[in-house]
Amino acid sequence: MKKLDRIDRHLLALLQQDARLTSHELAERVGLSPSPCARRIRRLEQQRLIQRYRAELDRERLGLGMTVFVHVKLSRHQDALVEAFEAAVADMPEVIECHTVSGAFDYLLQIVSADLKGYERWVRQLQTLPMVNTVDSSFAIRAVKRAGALDLRDARPSDDES
Amino acid sequence: MKKLDRIDRHLLALLQQDARLTSHELAERVGLSPSPCARRIRRLEQQRLIQRYRAELDRERLGLGMTVFVHVKLSRHQDALVEAFEAAVADMPEVIECHTVSGAFDYLLQIVSADLKGYERWVRQLQTLPMVNTVDSSFAIRAVKRAGALDLRDARPSDDES
DNA sequence: ACCCATATTGGCAGACCATGCCAATATTTT
DNA sequence: AAAATATTGGCATGGTCTGCCAATATGGGT
């Protein structure tokens, strides 16, 4: 697999900020002509370094201004229960993000809902899962930085298949 | 401001998953013809319900597989210091997300770096800020769900200006 | 129930952008 | 230095978007 050069990194950085830039605009900014520029982008897509393109919506304007970070501990850690928990969580549309984490808790989740009522509905639903032990809610008061772009300075593609 | 109808919600949901769908493809899926479809999308953009379009990169493949959740407490909460902290954090490219939160800590941050060494560099940098009291790191072991789409069932646009 | 005002729709023409090839240039290897 | 390889830049083609039009659907008022 090829190493990323300065231009590839530049393209990724630009597309991270605005996926609607045309090949011509991108070409100007990185100092290339549109053709090789489009080609490099196609390669980045095929290498899956670019996963997908998506529209980013405004939560506040959509009336989905409530963000909650939830720490969860399970009571039993048998494989089947862990998998059931993760599958259930992945299927809940209110769950924007979920990671297993080190430390005092097993999972950290980010929940988005319209209001407290919606959040309570979700928590109730979560509590019905039998392997859930503790649920610790921390409400987001204000977003200082949201959906920041990845810092590509240290990025080096791992050699996977195509 | 107009209320969102079923088609608007459907369009937002589709574009959240794939911003590269053409007007024609979108039109088919929502049961409309391309023209009004494109028009509705333009309106959603002008209303800023669609904030922007961005390319989503693959952290693992880029060699940026380390995600850390960091709880921060400040020692002094004078306005100037709080603002200085937030400005500093917003300017750090390793910081993907930062929220003020309720509970035992003041801030919850998501950090992405290539490896532990990169993370340590960032923590050191953070510790140089004089108003920082405690820094509590929780390493992400595995992502169960990442960048989930917003659930639009309860979405109702807040009446802002255009 | 009717009619009018408004908003939305569907299709078409022109401009824009992306894709696939070509020869030409730069880079690397032997 | 010479050959092989990879990358570049430009052009023609095809697809997509944009701005208008008349036609249809929607909603309000009498």
Side-chain angles (χ1 to χ4, degrees):
Chain A
M1 168 161 300
K2 285 289 312 303
K3 201 168 164 291
L4 293 176
D5 63 11
R6 195 169 297 102
I7 293 178
D8 290 320
R9 259 186 269 266
H10 198 172
L11 289 172
L12 289 174
L14 290 168
L15 288 173
Q16 246 188 132
Q17 301 292 82
D18 183 0
R20 290 257 152 138
L21 291 168
T22 67
S23 295
H24 185 63
E25 292 168 316
L26 289 166
E28 285 183 347
R29 285 175 170 78
V30 304
L32 226 61
S33 76
S35 284
C37 202
R39 195 123 90 116
R40 291 172 98 111
I41 293 167
R42 179 183 297 281
R43 265 228 315 253
L44 295 169
E45 289 166 354
Q46 282 169 178
Q47 293 175 195
R48 304 268 191 165
L49 296 178
I50 297 176
Q51 236 172 5
R52 60 172 167 178
Y53 297 92
R54 60 180 350 191
E56 193 176 300
L57 309 185
D58 189 315
R59 301 178 187 186
E60 264 83 23
R61 277 187 224 265
L62 281 166
L64 299 173
M66 166 143 288
T67 301
V68 190
F69 295 98
V70 181
H71 289 271
V72 174
K73 271 186 83 167
L74 302 190
S75 47
R76 316 243 33 165
H77 294 84
Q78 305 156 24
D79 282 6
L81 290 177
V82 169
E83 281 172 23
F85 171 79
E86 295 186 359
V89 154
D91 268 355
M92 293 171 166
E94 300 94 338
V95 178
I96 300 307
E97 209 146 341
C98 173
H99 295 257
T100 68
V101 292
S102 70
F105 297 93
D106 293 325
Y107 294 93
L108 174 57
L109 291 77
Q110 182 179 165
I111 308 300
V112 168
S113 73
D115 48 30
L116 265 174
K117 220 173 283 291
Y119 177 65
E120 193 200 0
R121 270 197 301 274
W122 175 80
V123 168
R124 280 240 167 80
Q125 196 180 332
L126 186 76
Q127 307 265 33
T128 65
L129 298 175
M131 72 295 280
V132 170
N133 185 5
T134 70
V135 176
D136 206 276
S137 300
S138 180
F139 292 88
I141 297 168
R142 181 170 43 88
V144 174
K145 186 175 191 175
R146 184 134 70 195
L150 293 183
D151 176 17
L152 300 172
R153 289 175 303 177
D154 293 344
R156 282 174 311 174
S158 61
D159 43 317
D160 278 356
E161 37 62 61
S162 155
Chain B
M1 169 161 301
K2 286 289 311 302
K3 200 165 164 294
L4 292 177
D5 64 10
R6 196 168 299 103
I7 293 178
D8 289 321
R9 259 186 268 268
H10 198 170
L11 288 173
L12 289 175
L14 290 169
L15 288 173
Q16 247 189 130
Q17 303 289 36
D18 184 1
R20 290 259 153 137
L21 292 168
T22 68
S23 295
H24 185 63
E25 290 168 317
L26 289 166
E28 285 183 347
R29 285 177 170 79
V30 305
L32 227 61
S33 76
S35 286
C37 202
R39 196 123 83 121
R40 290 172 98 110
I41 293 168
R42 180 189 302 281
R43 265 228 315 255
L44 295 169
E45 290 166 355
Q46 282 168 178
Q47 293 174 195
R48 305 266 190 163
L49 296 177
I50 296 176
Q51 235 171 8
R52 60 172 167 176
Y53 298 92
R54 62 179 347 188
E56 194 176 301
L57 309 186
D58 189 316
R59 300 178 187 186
E60 263 84 24
R61 277 187 224 264
L62 282 166
L64 299 172
M66 166 143 288
T67 299
V68 189
F69 295 99
V70 180
H71 289 272
V72 174
K73 271 186 84 167
L74 301 190
S75 47
R76 316 244 30 165
H77 294 84
Q78 306 157 24
D79 281 6
L81 290 177
V82 168
E83 283 171 24
F85 172 78
E86 295 186 359
V89 155
D91 268 355
M92 293 170 166
E94 299 93 338
V95 178
I96 300 308
E97 210 146 341
C98 173
H99 296 257
T100 68
V101 293
S102 70
F105 297 94
D106 294 323
Y107 294 93
L108 175 56
L109 291 76
Q110 182 181 164
I111 308 300
V112 168
S113 72
D115 47 30
L116 264 175
K117 220 172 283 288
Y119 177 65
E120 193 200 359
R121 271 197 300 274
W122 175 80
V123 168
R124 280 240 166 82
Q125 196 180 334
L126 187 77
Q127 305 266 33
T128 66
L129 298 174
M131 72 294 280
V132 169
N133 186 7
T134 70
V135 177
D136 208 275
S137 301
S138 180
F139 292 88
I141 297 168
R142 182 170 42 88
V144 175
K145 186 175 191 175
R146 183 135 69 193
L150 293 182
D151 178 15
L152 300 171
R153 289 174 304 179
D154 293 343
R156 281 173 312 173
S158 60
D159 43 318
D160 278 357
E161 35 63 61
S162 159

